[in-house]
Amino acid sequence: DVLAIGGAMANTFLHAKGIDVGKSLAEKELHATAKSIADKADGCDCRLLLPSDGVVAREFVSGAANEICAIEAIPEDGMILDLGPKTVAAIEDAIGAAQSLVWNGLLGAFEIPPFDTATNAAARAAATCTRDGGLLSVAGGGDTVAALRHAGVTEDFSYVSMAGGAFLEWLEGKALPGVEALKDQH
């Protein structure tokens, strides 16, 4: 199993590994939680696919000047706003080898070009593998659905949940009030 992690969540995991992420958005207070998840993944033979490179900018605006940096060389004043080409290729390879995909979350700041490249590339790779019949692809969460629409591939996924947060709670195994109400009727 492979768990690809991008966006601010990846930055949190990178920080937990002792990698300086510059001014990138990261939940540094979750260092111990990220470390615990990484340890559990290792124990379950699940590979965490973390970025090896990133697209870095000094400002969070459309069309901002940016550069590709190795993940260990993020400038102190830089922000990782998208995944770099090496990481995108690794994610595309992982999608191509997968039988199933559950997608929640973004790989970069997809709403601000050019930082939508990784999310678009992964979405298109998943859509292609699904259309070719080799991948069962399930996606959910409000931002995820918006990103799939942005990439133009929503219809190509096996299932896209428009439920947003409820989809995530269902994946976590939580009881959903609407489903419980239906159970009570039978």
Side-chain angles (χ1 to χ4, degrees):
D1 295 337
V2 176
L3 175 60
I5 302 176
M9 187 182 302
N11 298 338
T12 301
F13 277 84
L14 293 169
H15 179 266
K17 288 179 67 172
I19 296 171
D20 185 357
V21 295
K23 291 186 176 180
S24 305
L25 182 61
E27 295 179 281
K28 296 177 181 176
E29 70 279 3
L30 294 178
H31 175 103
T33 301
K35 179 98 174 77
S36 173
I37 291 169
D39 291 344
K40 286 179 183 175
D42 284 344
C44 297
D45 199 29
C46 176
R47 180 173 61 109
L48 291 182
L49 191 105
L50 292 171
S52 59
D53 60 344
V55 180
V56 176
R58 273 40 176 209
E59 54 184 341
F60 187 62
V61 297
S62 181
N66 60 80
E67 61 186 314
I68 297 168
C69 297
I71 216 65
E72 296 84 11
I74 303 302
E76 189 175 296
D77 64 342
M79 295 177 284
I80 307 166
L81 295 179
D82 202 4
L83 301 179
K86 290 179 184 175
T87 304
V88 170
I91 289 172
E92 289 172 329
D93 288 347
I95 290 170
Q99 293 179 356
S100 58
L101 168 71
V102 177
W103 185 337
N104 173 258
L106 310 170
L107 301 178
F110 88 97
E111 62 277 285
I112 301 179
F115 309 114
D116 57 349
T117 302
T119 299
N120 286 339
R124 290 180 184 130
T128 298
C129 290
T130 302
R131 279 192 313 269
D132 291 347
L135 181 68
L136 172 66
S137 55
V138 177
D143 288 340
T144 305
V145 173
L148 296 180
R149 282 187 183 134
H150 177 76
V153 299
T154 308
E155 299 300 320
D156 295 319
F157 271 60
S158 305
Y159 179 76
V160 176
S161 171
M162 302 300 176
F167 169 76
L168 300 178
E169 289 185 13
W170 174 77
L171 280 178
E172 291 177 38
K174 292 183 180 178
L176 301 178
V179 173
E180 294 304 310
L182 290 173
K183 286 181 183 178
D184 292 343
Q185 297 300 316
H186 290 92

